[in-house]
Amino acid sequence: MAGKKLSPLYGIGSVTLLTVLLVLCLTLFAVMALANAQADWRLSEKNATSVQAYYAADAQATQMLALLDTYAQQNPGHEEPPVLAADLQQTLLQQIPEAAAWNLSTTNEGEIVFLAAAIPVQENQTLEVELSLSYQPRSLVRVERWQVTPHMEGFTGDESLPVYTFDF
């Protein structure tokens, strides 16, 4: 018995198997982390594009607001509101060439002139801006609406719900 060696409880094969399993698990986690990083990168790029498009449309709307404010200060408002509305729209189209694509509309209710524009943000969003100009008792420009709205043309929602009905 003195010449006999005692074998370890776990042989060399089980250590190798455990090492291979550990390397496979680490490789799987690395691949999953890489896929997650790529998805995050694509989402970040899409978000950055969306934010840039919104702020470009917002800057155009702010330019329209500044122009309307300047117009209100320079024109005392002696004209009738329909004449004022037409002159305002013409001035806006002359000062901001991109405004031709904004679906501009001017309306008047009493002494207040409303200017509405739909500024495209992306192919599926529009920044809808509505401003009002009043000269009573002094010239005042007010933001009535400043909202991003999605385009819903062609959208058909799924109306069916897979709910189980009981037959008694």
Side-chain angles (χ1 to χ4, degrees):
M1 282 237 179
K4 237 183 181 184
K5 284 184 165 181
L6 294 173
S7 64
L9 186 59
Y10 297 105
I12 190 74
S14 59
V15 171
T16 304
L17 185 63
L18 184 63
T19 304
V20 168
L21 187 60
L22 182 66
V23 167
L24 282 175
C25 286
L26 290 175
T27 304
L28 178 67
F29 287 139
V31 169
M32 288 174 28
L34 181 62
N36 193 22
Q38 287 176 338
D40 286 347
W41 177 258
R42 284 190 303 268
L43 183 62
S44 296
E45 284 181 332
K46 188 175 181 180
N47 187 29
T49 303
S50 176
V51 168
Q52 286 174 346
Y54 170 76
Y55 281 113
D58 186 68
Q60 291 175 337
T62 304
Q63 184 181 7
M64 182 177 72
L65 176 62
L67 182 68
L68 184 61
D69 192 40
T70 303
Y71 181 87
Q73 300 303 321
Q74 292 175 353
N75 297 308
H78 297 301
E79 298 92 3
E80 291 294 317
V83 175
L84 188 65
D87 185 44
L88 177 62
Q89 188 168 357
Q90 183 181 7
T91 303
L92 187 64
L93 288 171
Q94 288 173 352
Q95 296 290 327
I96 306 173
E98 308 91 44
W102 293 354
N103 194 16
L104 285 175
S105 65
T106 53
T107 57
N108 59 302
E109 293 178 10
E111 297 294 319
I112 302 173
V113 176
F114 291 95
L115 175 67
I119 303 169
V121 176
Q122 290 180 323
E123 63 268 357
N124 60 351
Q125 288 183 334
T126 302
L127 176 61
E128 294 182 359
V129 178
E130 186 176 339
L131 308 171
S132 65
L133 173 61
S134 172
Y135 284 105
Q136 301 298 328
R138 59 182 173 78
S139 63
L140 175 69
V141 177
R142 177 179 289 161
V143 176
E144 301 291 336
R145 183 176 185 195
W146 197 285
Q147 179 180 7
V148 175
T149 57
H151 295 198
M152 299 303 284
E153 299 97 29
F155 175 75
T156 54
D158 185 13
E159 297 289 330
S160 64
L161 291 174
V163 179
Y164 182 76
T165 57
F166 294 99
D167 293 327
F168 291 106

